[in-house]
Structure formats: structure tokens, C-alpha cells
């Protein structure tokens, strides 16, 4: 079973990234052949400053390695180090119905949030399909917001296979529904676009401040509260052991557990959870050449697979 996942280097990683995509992807990597990439081509739709993009790519590589990505077990690379993906994206675009892209909700959402309505943003699902199909991927861990893009990738692959023969593998999605949409400080889905994130590698003071700033109502400490409507409790559940979650939830429902205490408990759990990763991150950050070697090795391994797929596609569509 081949697993593939990519993440844009558009800023600092937050706990929504971790629980929604990174941790499930790392767990899946233990079950089979895994390809993980930093999606720097995709990031060009939102990061226009070259130096910022380069810094983000390097930081993303360090962060993912610190969080447990194992180069010996996975093929880890920069998207732009495998140019075959752009050729496949063009070939796929020649069989992609325009209406399929026009129905993409992510494009409309991003334009409404202020991103420029460029061809790259509109055709994002085609490049994402190329990312997936180039490596003959079986399983793609995705959040709910990326489900449609995966369905589009399957539709594009099916269209090419129908027209030219069974060349491409149709992937399946893997979604952990209980953590697929991690709430942010304001109760919306945690996202850099909303400015409501809790960064994984924030310093202690910043992490505490972000946890304490989670939006809550004005109910007093002694009042019973609804666990299903609590953002800090939802985040606490992601970190705390089940027995502690059960006890805390009971206190919350009965009354006597205030928001400030719960937010502090959340901070302590989050700070402890990422402690080992912070130590690994410091060591990796001090050796940029080692990180670059990991990415270069991953790119070489990825290209070996990509060439085989692209050669088969070129032959099927009539290119020399």
C-alpha cells in the first residue's frame, strides 16, 4: 500500500495541521510505503515573497522531521524537486472538464478570503491530482476540506484511463473523523487564514497566551456547562489521556470547572506533548546541511518512481 501526503509551506505549523493531517499521515506510514512532500509549487498561489517561501520550506522540513517523520521509512522531498509533476499536470489538464474545476469550493472560498483569482489557484486541483497520481498512490490522508480535491483527482484519473487505457491508479482517502476539523481560538476550523491558530512550536509564553485567549462565553465557574459546545475542552481531548478527559468532562458538565482553569490545563498538556519534538527541532535547526541531504535523497527516490509513471502516460497519450 502506497501512502502520499503533502503540506504547503505557507507558515508555521499549528495543532490543526498536526492532528488533522500530520499525525494520521505518520501513523499510516508505519503500515506501508509512504511518500511525503512539501508542496512549494502550491504555495506559490499564496506566498509571493521568494525569501519567505525558501524560509518556509526549510522550516517545514525541520518541523516535520522533528514531529516524527522518518526518512528511512518515508520518501520525503520538495515538490519542485520532481519536475515530472508539472508535465503530468499539463497532460491531466487536457482531459479535465472545465465544469469539474468550476465546482471546486476551495477556489471560491480562497478568492472570497482575498487571494487573487489566478489560473494557478483555479487549477490547483489538477496539480494536486498530478501529485497523487504520479506516484501510483493507494491512500491519501486528507482533511474534510480536501475531500473534494481527492474526488476530483479520482475523476481526472478515471477520465484519462477511459480515454487512453488503464494507466493511472485511482486513490482512496483516509479521514480520521474525530480530529478531521480541529477548532481554532474562535470556534471556527483552525486555519492560518482565520488567524485563530495555536502554533506547535510557539515559545512557552506565546503558547500559554494563545491557549488562554480561546473564545468562551461568560458562564461563572460554578455553572454547569455543555461539553459539546466547548472549544477548550475539544482541544484538551486531543492531548489528555482518556481517563483524565473523562474526569474533566464530568467536572465541566456538573459545574465547578472554570474556563481559565481548563485553558491552563490545555496549555500544560500541549506544552508537555510537544516537548520531545522541540528538542529534536533544536538539533535539526542547528544542522541545515543534514536536512538538505534528507530532501535531496527523497527527491532522487521520488523521481525514480515518477519517471516510470510519466513514461507510461506519455506513451499512452502518444508523446515520444
Amino acid at each position: 500500500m502506497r501512502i502520499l501526503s503533502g503540506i504547503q509551506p505557507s507558515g508555521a505549523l499549528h495543532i490543526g495541521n498536526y492532528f488533522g493531517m500530520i499525525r494520521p499521515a505518520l501513523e499510516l506510514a508505519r503500515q506501508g510505503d509512504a511518500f511525503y512532500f512539501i508542496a512549494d509549487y502550491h504555495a506559490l498561489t499564496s506566498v509571493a515573497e521568494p525569501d519567505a517561501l525558501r524560509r518556509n520550506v526549510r522550516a517545514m522540513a525541520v518541523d516535520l522531521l522533528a514531529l516524527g517523520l522518518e526518512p528511512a521509512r518515508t520518501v520525503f522531498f520538495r515538490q519542485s524537486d520532481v519536475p515530472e509533476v508539472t508535465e503530468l499536470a499539463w497532460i491531466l489538464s487536457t482531459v479535465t472538464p472545465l465544469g469539474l474545476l468550476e465546482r471546486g469550493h476551495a477556489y471560491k472560498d480562497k478568492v472570497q478570503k482575498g487571494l487573487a483569482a489566478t489560473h494557478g489557484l483555479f487549477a490547483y486541483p489538477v496539480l494536486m491530482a498530478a501529485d497523487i497520481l504520479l506516484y501510483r498512490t493507494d491512500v491519501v490522508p486528507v482533511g474534510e476540506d480536501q475531500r473534494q480535491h481527492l474526488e476530483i483527482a479520482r475523476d481526472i484519473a478515471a477520465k484519462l484511463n477511459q480515454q487512453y487505457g488503464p494507466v493511472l491508479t485511482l486513490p482512496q482517502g483516509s479521514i480520521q473523523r474525530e480530529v478531521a476539523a480541529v477548532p481554532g481560538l474562535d470556534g471556527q476550523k483552525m486555519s492560518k487564514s482565520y488567524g485563530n491558530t495555536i502554533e506547535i512550536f510557539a515559545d512557552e509564553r506565546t503558547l500559554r497566551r494563545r491557549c488562554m485567549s480561546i473564545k468562551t462565553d461568560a458562564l461563572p465557574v460554578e455553572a454547569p456547562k455543555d461539553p459539546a459546545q466547548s472549544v477548550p475542552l475539544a482541544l484538551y481531548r486531543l492531548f489528555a489521556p482518556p481517563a483524565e478527559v473523562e474526569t474533566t468532562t464530568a467536572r465541566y458538565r456538573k459545574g465547578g470547572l472554570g474556563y481559565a482553569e481548563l485553558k491552563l490545563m490545555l496549555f500544560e498538556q500541549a506544552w508537555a506533548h510537544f516537548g520531545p519534538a522541540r528538542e529534536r527541532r533544536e538539533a535539526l535547526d542547528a544542522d541545515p546541511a543534514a536536512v538538505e541531504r534528507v530532501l535531496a535523497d527523497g527527491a532522487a527516490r521520488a523521481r525514480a518512481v515518477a519517471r516510470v509513471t510519466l513514461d507510461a502516460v506519455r506513451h499512452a497519450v502518444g508523446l515520444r
Side-chain angles (χ1 to χ4, degrees):
M1 177 177 69
R2 176 161 294 159
I3 301 140
L4 178 132
S5 191
I7 187 167
Q8 279 199 50
S10 54
L13 290 176
H14 55 75
I15 63 175
N17 299 137
Y18 179 72
F19 287 104
M21 190 282 282
I22 295 170
R23 190 176 72 168
L26 295 178
E27 290 172 352
L28 276 173
R30 301 185 182 99
Q31 302 175 25
D33 177 19
F35 281 57
Y36 293 156
F37 67 94
I38 299 172
D40 51 349
Y41 278 144
H42 286 297
L44 289 172
T45 62
S46 59
V47 182
E49 213 288 303
D51 287 339
L53 180 59
R54 283 186 280 268
R55 286 194 303 270
N56 288 354
V57 169
R58 183 181 179 281
M60 183 67 68
V62 170
D63 289 352
L64 292 174
L65 291 168
L67 288 168
L69 189 147
E70 303 174 62
R73 189 190 293 266
T74 62
V75 178
F76 181 43
F77 59 100
R78 269 181 298 251
Q79 181 188 32
S80 61
D81 284 343
V82 185
E84 286 83 358
V85 73
T86 55
E87 182 175 353
L88 180 59
W90 172 252
I91 295 172
L92 295 178
S93 74
T94 66
V95 299
T96 301
L98 186 61
L100 188 63
L101 299 182
E102 289 175 334
R103 292 192 293 273
H105 58 71
Y107 170 75
K108 299 171 188 174
D109 290 346
K110 290 178 180 178
V111 170
Q112 287 177 353
K113 291 184 177 72
L115 287 181
T118 62
H119 172 264
L121 194 62
F122 183 70
Y124 182 108
V126 181
L127 181 56
M128 183 173 173
D131 290 323
I132 296 167
L133 301 171
L134 187 61
Y135 305 104
R136 302 189 180 276
T137 305
D138 299 304
V139 176
V140 183
V142 291
E144 281 290 350
D145 60 329
Q146 291 290 325
R147 178 194 289 273
Q148 187 186 44
H149 282 166
L150 179 62
E151 292 170 350
I152 289 173
R154 287 175 53 86
D155 289 344
I156 293 172
K159 185 72 174 176
L160 188 136
N161 285 349
Q162 180 183 31
Q163 187 162 327
Y164 294 109
V167 185
L168 299 172
T169 301
L170 269 63
Q172 301 293 326
S174 173
I175 300 175
Q176 287 192 316
R177 297 185 185 279
E178 67 274 16
V179 294
V182 176
L185 303 181
D186 57 0
Q188 299 184 82
K189 179 190 172 184
M190 188 173 289
S191 169
K192 289 184 281 286
S193 301
Y194 301 144
N196 64 356
T197 62
I198 299 174
E199 295 180 4
I200 294 172
F201 293 113
D203 61 70
E204 186 173 5
R205 182 178 178 181
T206 302
L207 183 63
R208 183 193 297 267
R209 178 169 52 82
R210 296 295 279 176
C211 289
M212 299 305 289
S213 67
I214 295 172
K215 184 178 179 181
T216 53
D217 56 39
L219 286 173
V221 172
E222 64 275 10
K225 303 172 184 68
D226 182 3
Q229 302 301 317
S230 174
V231 172
L233 187 59
L235 295 173
Y236 178 79
R237 287 193 186 104
L238 297 174
F239 293 102
E244 291 183 26
V245 171
E246 185 176 348
T247 301
T248 302
T249 302
R251 284 185 63 202
Y252 194 79
R253 184 181 289 111
K254 182 179 179 180
L257 175 59
Y259 296 126
E261 182 183 354
L262 179 56
K263 292 174 185 178
L264 183 59
M265 293 166 62
L266 167 62
F267 158 72
E268 291 170 346
Q269 289 285 346
W271 183 253
H273 184 89
F274 293 115
R278 280 194 301 275
E279 293 181 6
R280 290 193 293 269
R281 189 178 187 275
E282 287 182 11
L284 288 161
D285 210 28
D287 192 357
V291 175
E292 188 60 35
R293 285 195 296 272
V294 168
L295 292 174
D297 177 68
R301 293 157 66 192
R303 290 198 75 182
V305 176
R307 289 191 193 99
V308 173
T309 302
L310 186 60
D311 284 348
V313 172
R314 287 173 62 87
H315 177 75
V317 303
L319 297 173
R320 292 183 61 186

